[in-house]
Amino acid sequence: MGINPLDKVIGFFDPVAGVRRAQARQALGVVRSYEAARRRLTDDGWVSGSGGPNSEVGGGLVVMRNRARQMVRDNPYAKRMVDIMAANEIGAGIVSQANTGDEKRDDAQQDAWKKWAETTQCDADGRTNIYGLQRLIDIAKHESGEVLVRLRSRSRADAARLGLTVPLQLQVIEADYLDHTKNGPLSDGDYIVQGIEFNKRGERIAYWIFKEHPGENYQHVVGNNLTSMRIDAGQIIHLYNMQRPGQLRGVTTLHSVMTALRDLQDYHGALLMKAKVEACFSAFVRGASGNPLTGQTNQKGTHRQETLEPGSIFYIEDSESVEFANPSKSEAHILLSQTYLRAIAVGCGVTYDQLTGDLTGANYSSLRAGKIDFRRLVEQWQWLCFIPQFCEPVWREFVKAGELAGLWKAGPIAAEHTPPGHEMIDPTKDTTALLQMVRGGFKSWPQAVREQGYNPKTMARDIAGANKLFDDNELVLDIDPRKVSRAGLTQARPDGTVLPPTNIED
């Protein structure tokens, strides 16, 4: 369903009102949208249809994004989910290592990468390094469904003024900047869908981006800052998780659990009110002719008690008995809350203990089994989305910028990307199992190192440096497998000499 001219005019002056009108018009049709984008999360009924991926996402894009952000701000479980995903998917950062096969070239690129990426040089805002940007991007993706990164090439003068190793910086911007109201064909056969411009072959060629965040209320915003401008697709990284073929925009990770989160929040609010009422121990005195409690006066002049307070006594005339309030109690809310939380955890792709922090009844086997599927989901996102959509494009632009700066000549562009390792649930058991797999040939040493979040080349250099340090000082430690066996026995040197184990404290 397209946007009519009136919607475009209204959207120009009031983007929010324009979006609401477009959504209302779409709701009149049979296009199915996400339940999380309903006008009210408590609406009943099941609306089904055969809408395309972009019609369904576009119909509730803004509503779901705004609701997800509010839940992350106000709901502890929503915030916990986003934090847990970022902590496991990014951790301290996905590390990139040059790997062209040319050792001299790799060393030059890696040295420049360390100066540029592991400092605030890479951030256009100058606030964090590449790993901080990765965390920010991952959080924005889960919360808003998508995020944009603009590759800002700098002139030689600007690079010198800013002290940049390579003339490139990254600017992370929210998906709100992408003008989703920009739709329709162009005169040359190209077309725009939800702010993304395509050529005749269906290739992305440009993005229509606002100059300012459309939700900000800056006093200095004047002129056409709320009019989107065309930016070449080569300057934009659009990162999101595609759930349907042909899907152009991303959907918040909370979309399938938003209703459950809201229902659980309302239920907990009702339980809190019930607990307050139960805490108000009250007595009702019938047949008393004394002074009634002060309260609201009705038309007949009698007093009515309309609030509950702890220790309240209410007088009821024309009777001679005393009754004590006894609110009903139920423990079913514990089971109901746990059921909801388990459903929310499943919908978000995390485990129940990660979402709630509740380790009651957990043991090594249950924790390990519960993390298997979670880690697979994390690795899917890392290797199938985040690394190809962000890490590799950034590395390519970094190498090209280094070529322009004369740091190295044009040549192959290749890098290895190492995600953070998963924490061992039981280090003794997990290390033993890992060692047996490597010794049995079921897993290579570099693969085992990568699973722990380290780069094999860097690790090999560190080990070689440590071994040289031990040999230069004639140290034989229990941790050195070249000289000491796993049983703690000394092993002969290649020349036949045997050194006794040295206590490092001596």
Side-chain angles (χ1 to χ4, degrees):
M1 183 179 294
I3 298 179
N4 62 27
L6 180 58
D7 287 342
K8 292 183 179 180
V9 174
I10 294 177
F12 177 81
F13 293 100
D14 189 344
V16 175
V19 171
R20 289 175 177 172
R21 282 181 58 86
Q23 291 170 348
R25 292 179 64 248
Q26 188 176 38
L28 295 176
V30 295
V31 177
R32 177 171 59 94
S33 186
Y34 288 78
E35 183 179 9
R38 290 181 180 181
R39 186 175 61 179
R40 294 180 181 177
L41 290 179
T42 57
D43 285 350
D44 295 327
W46 189 302
V47 181
S48 178
S50 58
N54 299 310
S55 297
E56 291 185 2
V57 173
L61 182 68
V62 176
V63 175
M64 285 189 291
R65 186 169 64 204
N66 293 341
R67 286 177 173 174
R69 288 173 181 167
Q70 182 179 2
M71 284 193 166
V72 172
R73 289 194 302 264
D74 302 334
N75 190 293
Y77 297 113
K79 183 180 185 302
R80 172 70 173 175
M81 189 285 301
V82 172
D83 290 342
I84 282 293
M85 296 302 293
N88 284 271
E89 293 170 350
I90 303 300
I94 298 178
V95 180
S96 300
Q97 177 82 32
N99 186 32
T100 63
D102 184 341
E103 185 174 354
K104 184 177 180 181
R105 180 182 176 86
D106 288 350
D107 290 342
Q109 290 182 356
Q110 201 61 40
D111 182 63
W113 175 264
K114 185 175 182 179
K115 294 177 181 177
W116 178 79
E118 297 186 3
T119 66
T120 58
Q121 288 187 28
C122 64
D123 184 8
D125 295 327
R127 305 300 302 172
T128 185
N129 57 19
I130 191 71
Y131 309 122
L133 293 179
Q134 290 177 358
R135 173 187 172 275
L136 181 62
I137 290 168
D138 198 68
I139 289 176
K141 178 267 170 188
H142 287 295
E143 183 180 276
S144 304
E146 56 186 344
V147 64
L148 303 174
V149 181
R150 187 175 181 185
L151 304 169
R152 308 300 296 263
S153 298
R154 303 303 187 189
S155 64
R156 291 180 179 271
D158 286 340
R161 176 176 59 84
L162 297 172
L164 303 181
T165 304
V166 296
L168 175 69
Q169 288 187 309
L170 309 177
Q171 181 184 13
V172 180
I173 55 180
E174 287 191 317
D176 306 55
Y177 280 81
L178 184 54
D179 187 359
H180 68 281
T181 65
K182 202 81 172 179
N183 294 277
L186 301 176
S187 58
D188 54 0
D190 298 344
Y191 57 95
I192 305 175
V193 180
Q194 296 179 15
I196 306 174
E197 184 176 338
F198 298 85
N199 60 19
K200 301 176 183 178
R201 295 182 294 274
E203 300 169 340
R204 299 188 184 211
I205 58 175
Y207 289 83
W208 289 83
I209 307 294
F210 291 117
K211 296 181 181 180
E212 299 279 359
H213 193 295
E216 291 289 8
N217 188 24
Y218 295 136
Q219 296 297 324
H220 68 272
V221 173
V222 294
N224 61 350
N225 284 350
L226 291 181
T227 301
S228 55
M229 59 182 178
R230 186 181 186 275
I231 298 180
D232 187 85
Q235 301 179 29
I236 298 293
I237 294 176
H238 185 197
L239 192 143
Y240 67 98
N241 187 14
M242 183 184 296
Q243 298 174 320
R244 290 182 62 182
Q247 181 179 334
L248 303 180
R249 302 292 298 267
V251 180
T252 172
T253 305
L254 300 176
H255 71 87
S256 64
V257 301
M258 203 173 296
T259 303
L261 282 169
R262 183 61 179 270
D263 289 344
L264 183 62
Q265 185 174 352
D266 292 343
Y267 180 62
H268 284 172
L271 286 178
L272 178 60
M273 178 58 67
K274 180 176 182 292
K276 290 181 178 180
V277 173
E278 291 176 350
C280 298
F281 181 80
S282 307
F284 297 86
V285 181
R286 298 180 181 275
S289 59
N291 295 328
L293 293 179
T294 302
Q296 298 296 327
T297 303
N298 61 13
Q299 295 178 352
K300 297 181 179 181
T302 59
H303 298 277
R304 292 181 178 178
Q305 182 67 32
E306 296 183 348
T307 60
L308 289 178
E309 296 179 358
S312 299
I313 300 177
F314 303 101
Y315 293 90
I316 305 175
E317 298 180 358
D318 302 329
S319 183
E320 297 180 354
S321 62
V322 178
E323 298 177 2
F324 294 90
N326 185 23
S328 61
K329 297 182 180 180
S330 174
E331 301 298 330
H333 65 275
I334 298 177
L335 180 60
L336 179 61
S337 296
Q338 291 177 342
T339 302
Y340 260 87
L341 289 172
R342 288 190 176 94
I344 292 169
V346 169
C348 293
V350 301
T351 60
Y352 173 80
D353 61 278
Q354 288 177 319
L355 180 67
T356 63
D358 182 7
L359 296 175
T360 303
N363 54 40
Y364 171 78
S365 298
S366 64
L367 290 175
R368 183 173 178 81
K371 298 300 185 294
I372 292 177
D373 289 338
F374 169 73
R375 290 177 176 177
R376 287 178 179 173
L377 291 174
V378 168
E379 290 171 355
Q380 271 191 344
W381 166 244
Q382 291 170 336
W383 289 104
L384 305 183
C385 295
F386 196 91
I387 290 177
Q389 290 184 20
F390 176 77
C391 296
E392 291 182 356
V394 169
W395 182 268
R396 287 196 300 268
E397 292 301 318
F398 162 78
V399 173
K400 292 178 182 178
E403 293 174 357
L404 293 176
L407 298 180
W408 47 78
K409 296 181 180 180
I413 300 176
E416 296 176 345
H417 307 285
T418 306
H422 298 290
E423 294 292 335
M424 294 183 177
I425 298 175
D426 187 326
T428 301
K429 294 181 179 179
D430 290 348
T431 301
T432 301
L434 185 63
L435 180 61
Q436 290 177 348
M437 293 191 70
V438 174
R439 292 179 65 88
F442 298 104
K443 185 177 295 184
S444 66
W445 180 82
Q447 183 181 359
V449 171
R450 287 186 182 280
E451 289 180 359
Q452 303 308 309
Y454 303 104
N455 185 276
K457 291 183 178 180
T458 303
M459 179 67 74
R461 291 176 181 175
D462 291 344
I463 293 175
N467 290 339
K468 185 177 185 303
L469 179 64
F470 294 157
D471 294 342
D472 292 345
N473 292 276
E474 297 185 347
L475 296 175
V476 180
L477 306 179
D478 287 345
I479 62 172
D480 191 346
R482 301 172 304 159
K483 302 173 184 178
V484 181
S485 67
R486 295 184 63 185
L489 302 176
T490 57
Q491 300 181 143
R493 281 185 169 183
D495 60 2
T497 62
V498 178
L499 293 177
T502 300
N503 188 340
I504 196 171
E505 296 179 355
D506 293 341

